[in-house]
Amino acid sequence: THTHTHTHTHTSRKNIHMPTLQSGNSPNMPWFLGAPVSKAIATTVAVFFVVAEVTKSHHSFSLDMEKVLNEGHIHRILLCHLTFATLAEVVLGLGVLCPLMRRFEREMGSRKFGTFLFFTTVISTSWEILLSQVFHDELARYSGPYPQIGSLLMLYHIYTPRLHPQFFGLLGFDFSEKAITYGFALQMVFSGGLGTMLPAMCGMVAGYLYTVPMFPLSKIELPEFVYSICSSVGAGFVDRNPTISTTRRQHRAAGAGAGGNNNRQQLIGDMRYGGAGGGVPNIPRAPLNNAPPPPAAAQQFQPTPPSEEAIAQLTSMGFEREAVVRVLQQCDNNVEVAANRLLSGA
């Protein structure tokens, strides 16, 4: 339990399309590459915590409904989501939030992910305000993005497959690798008693409703000007791919020198066929005379057959073996990426 400084403080769901993306990063890739909304939220939580610490104003971030209703402190409805109340919560909370946010923003896209967070936050906060009147004497709402943790946990529960059902054992029970994420998240959810459980549970329900086909939440979008403003304001949080930037610089440098045209053609070929760090497999171009490639080259680029262990993991989830083998070969035998692709119906 944390000490606070203030006194009041699975497969059938297809309406959200989850395109696949490699979860691993190159050592040179920014960690938040492809997730500017996640980066902005993490930065906001850290910055507002420092501000609250310096100004000793953590009490101003709590959702004190008496002050909201009787003194008109409407700003608390927004401020309560911006940061946590203690350093321990910041460290553990961002440790839970950042991987989940980055994963689902990359899969959903920044626009869809931002819309998801907006609607689930509005819905969960509305319920939280109503329920606070029921638990008026028992509830001291701690500041922190607990509804967002709850909604993201619901997405994680629904859309993330168990790749290793027997990842570790405890007291005779087997647990998958997902239990680690659940463990840290539940520690945050139960850390402040009802003051953290209620907003997190409201977020979970809101996240669940967002995935149910009978509700149109996942199809609703904000006005276009909202996305335009967010895109302009958040431009500084967008990380650039260093591989693409390096290739472009090489392209410009090659065009400025002698024989620039030939060099540009070569660089275009590099980008298209994987050279110069283009990031895609080096696929040989067919000869101009349409002659068949030599047998050695054909064998060199033949996809590696997936292992029986990988096939068994995915077929145990209910997928046909033929589809599993095909998708594994398309995903370079990456079980996690193949599972996401099969679940999303891509």
Side-chain angles (χ1 to χ4, degrees), residues 79-275:
L79 293 181
C80 69
H81 299 288
L82 295 184
T83 193
F84 296 101
T86 66
L87 181 59
E89 285 179 285
V90 171
V91 174
L92 184 58
L94 289 181
V96 172
L97 267 177
C98 288
L100 292 176
M101 290 192 301
R102 184 185 71 157
R103 175 195 178 118
F104 289 110
E105 181 176 359
R106 286 177 165 184
E107 294 182 345
M108 299 169 68
S110 297
R111 181 183 178 117
K112 191 72 173 178
F113 180 73
T115 306
F116 164 79
L117 287 181
F118 175 80
F119 281 115
T120 54
T121 299
V122 170
I123 294 172
S124 60
T125 303
S126 301
W127 290 342
E128 188 180 346
I129 293 174
L130 293 175
L131 291 174
S132 66
Q133 303 306 303
V134 178
F135 303 99
H136 183 269
D137 296 330
E138 297 86 359
L139 181 62
R141 179 11 171 132
Y142 296 139
S143 63
Y146 291 100
Q148 292 76 14
I149 292 177
S151 62
L152 288 169
L153 270 180
M154 183 56 66
L155 288 187
Y156 183 74
H157 174 70
I158 294 174
Y159 290 107
T160 302
R162 292 186 303 163
L163 301 180
H164 306 286
Q166 298 179 338
F167 190 71
F168 68 94
L170 182 65
L171 300 178
F173 296 94
D174 292 324
F175 296 90
S176 71
E177 76 284 357
K178 294 178 65 176
I180 298 175
T181 299
Y182 287 138
F184 284 111
L186 291 178
Q187 183 176 350
M188 287 296 302
V189 170
F190 292 104
S191 62
L194 192 60
T196 54
M197 290 171 55
L198 182 62
M201 294 300 296
C202 289
M204 289 180 185
V205 176
Y208 173 77
L209 292 179
Y210 196 87
T211 66
V212 175
M214 69 176 63
F215 294 100
L217 289 176
S218 63
K219 300 178 182 179
I220 300 176
E221 290 194 349
L222 300 173
E224 192 63 35
F225 75 89
V226 175
Y227 297 111
S228 300
I229 294 174
C230 293
S231 178
S232 301
V233 174
F237 294 98
V238 178
D239 291 318
R240 306 298 178 185
N241 190 326
T243 302
I244 296 177
S245 300
T246 302
T247 304
R248 288 175 177 171
R249 286 196 298 268
Q250 293 174 346
H251 188 181
R252 289 195 294 267
N261 185 59
N262 291 335
N263 289 330
R264 280 195 296 270
Q265 294 298 327
Q266 178 62 42
L267 283 168
I268 292 173
D270 288 341
M271 293 173 65
R272 181 175 300 170
Y273 294 101

Side-chain angles (χ1 to χ4, degrees), residues 7-34:
T7 57
H8 294 281
T9 22
H10 237 14
T11 63
S12 60
R13 303 180 188 275
K14 298 294 182 65
N15 59 313
I16 297 181
H17 180 62
M18 295 285 185
T20 57
L21 183 67
Q22 292 283 1
S23 59
N25 275 353
S26 167
N28 296 325
M29 294 293 182
W31 197 82
F32 280 108
L33 181 66

